[in-house]
Amino acid sequence: RVESHEIPAIREFERRELSPARVGLGVVFYPFSGPDALFPRLFFPHSTAYVMVGLEPPGTVPDPDRLSRKELNQYLEQVRASVHSELYRSFFITREMDRQFRGQVSDGLLPTLLHLLVRTGHTVEGYRYVRLDQQGRIIARPNEAAPPRTGGNRGVAIEFRGPAGLPPQILYYFSVNLSDERLRHNAPFVKFLEALGGVTTYLKATSYMPHHAEFSIIRRLVLERSVAILQDDSGIPYRYFDPAVWRLQLYGSYERPYGSFRWLEQADLRKAYRTGAPKPLDFRIGYGFGRISSNLLLATRRTSR
């Protein structure tokens, strides 16, 4: 179902709305991503690199030669189950990730990242374990699940080729806590992000973290460093987009968030949908998983940084 409907609809949306001239060809920055390697590749297939950030550990790939046939079948069934919510709801559920990617299925996200890349027609050419040094530069780290003795920001770099003969691309995943309490003491990651230059930021199903005061640093960095931002309503609140700085295009429809997030309703965003000219959205994405309509906002920078 995903391959026959959602993926073609998103690719058509990308072709029509997200041309490289509009969103750039540089790095895609995806905070609060979990292991979602699917959607940034669909929305931004021409970008040179992808930087994904979540709380879960990067993990390792199990050696299939050490698994019996029964164990391998069980493991593959668990991997399939781990991407169920991504395929049927368009996002990974936090409580499921806490269980699946911290020992029940794997010791981290790497197997799922590889799984989603390969199943969408990409060729993985290699991967390596990385971290950031004190200057925010990417360096190698030992192949281990435990944190390094010096420096955190554990990550993995996956080198791959797309299905359409595009040049080689790279996906980085870093395990980083993006709250103000932790980020103000994480100079290496802030330096790394600032060194990326103008990024295209993608935000989806963030548990509405950018709405809260304790995530003000990452919200400010995204607004300062991005040349374009594509997000659902769980991303940066509408009021932070200065019309003198950003061109805004809305898609789908918006009334209020779903379920336990309904108290984070944005009256100004609802008004913008009712008085503006939102374009249709031919696929579902974000919270609500079919029970409410989906929405996206595309912000492109008017002025140079």
Side-chain angles (χ1 to χ4, degrees):
R1 182 186 60 81
V2 172
E3 290 176 339
S4 64
H5 181 261
E6 271 80 3
I7 288 178
I10 293 173
R11 285 177 172 154
E12 173 58 24
F13 177 87
E14 179 273 324
R15 184 196 65 79
R16 188 177 66 246
E17 304 292 336
L18 303 177
S19 67
R22 198 173 186 187
V23 300
L25 285 170
V27 175
V28 172
F29 178 50
Y30 187 2
F32 312 103
S33 67
D36 175 22
L38 176 64
F39 284 90
R41 283 291 301 146
L42 292 174
F43 284 122
F44 311 106
H46 305 289
S47 294
T48 57
Y50 305 82
V51 175
M52 298 169 53
V53 181
L55 286 174
E56 297 74 27
T60 58
V61 175
D63 182 355
D65 292 334
R66 296 184 178 182
L67 298 173
S68 67
R69 180 176 295 275
K70 179 179 179 181
E71 291 171 330
L72 182 60
N73 287 339
Q74 291 175 341
Y75 174 75
L76 293 176
E77 182 178 351
Q78 291 172 334
V79 169
R80 186 162 56 248
S82 73
V83 300
H84 179 273
S85 62
E86 165 82 338
L87 298 180
Y88 284 88
R89 300 185 180 187
S90 83
F91 59 91
F92 287 90
I93 298 173
T94 301
R95 66 177 180 273
E96 291 182 358
M97 288 195 293
D98 287 342
R99 184 172 65 250
Q100 294 166 339
F101 302 126
R102 296 182 187 272
Q104 187 187 74
V105 178
S106 66
D107 59 3
L109 306 188
L110 180 54
T112 301
L113 292 168
L114 296 171
H115 175 87
L116 290 171
L117 285 173
V118 171
R119 283 301 304 269
T120 47
H122 301 86
T123 300
V124 174
E125 297 190 333
Y127 61 87
R128 50 196 168 92
Y129 301 96
V130 298
R131 67 178 180 90
L132 301 179
D133 67 11
Q134 291 303 307
Q135 286 70 47
R137 297 172 299 200
I138 297 173
I139 60 175
R141 68 176 174 90
N143 175 4
E144 59 182 3
R149 292 184 179 180
T150 59
N153 301 304
R154 287 178 296 155
V156 63
I158 304 172
E159 298 162 353
F160 64 95
R161 286 184 180 270
L166 296 171
Q169 295 163 297
I170 190 163
L171 183 151
Y172 297 98
Y173 172 82
F174 288 100
S175 178
V176 178
N177 188 320
L178 296 175
S179 68
D180 288 358
E181 180 182 5
R182 302 293 290 274
L183 206 53
R184 65 169 51 99
H185 301 295
N186 191 347
F189 181 76
V190 174
K191 292 177 182 177
F192 165 73
L193 183 56
E194 290 176 343
L196 294 177
V199 299
T200 298
T201 298
Y202 179 54
L203 293 160
K204 172 177 65 68
T206 70
S207 295
Y208 291 82
M209 297 300 183
H211 287 237
H212 299 296
E214 56 267 35
F215 287 88
S216 64
I217 295 176
I218 189 62
R219 185 173 60 232
R220 172 180 58 79
L221 288 170
V222 166
L223 289 170
E224 289 178 352
R225 310 304 301 178
S226 300
V227 298
I229 300 171
L230 181 68
Q231 63 172 41
D232 64 15
D233 67 291
S234 76
I236 295 174
Y238 184 78
R239 66 182 181 274
Y240 286 99
F241 290 97
D242 183 348
V245 178
W246 299 97
R247 297 183 183 89
L248 300 179
Q249 176 61 58
L250 302 174
Y251 303 91
S253 62
Y254 172 83
E255 286 298 326
R256 66 179 184 181
Y258 177 74
S260 60
F261 299 117
R262 63 171 59 91
W263 66 278
L264 291 166
E265 176 183 340
Q266 301 178 69
D268 52 356
L269 179 58
R270 186 175 64 246
K271 180 180 178 181
Y273 266 91
R274 291 178 178 176
T275 61
K279 295 184 179 181
L281 199 60
D282 296 328
F283 51 90
R284 66 180 189 179
I285 194 167
Y287 295 127
F289 43 90
R291 299 185 183 182
I292 63 172
S293 56
S294 299
N295 64 82
L296 284 175
L297 177 152
L298 174 63
T300 52
R301 187 176 293 276
R302 294 182 185 273
T303 58
S304 60
R305 293 187 302 104

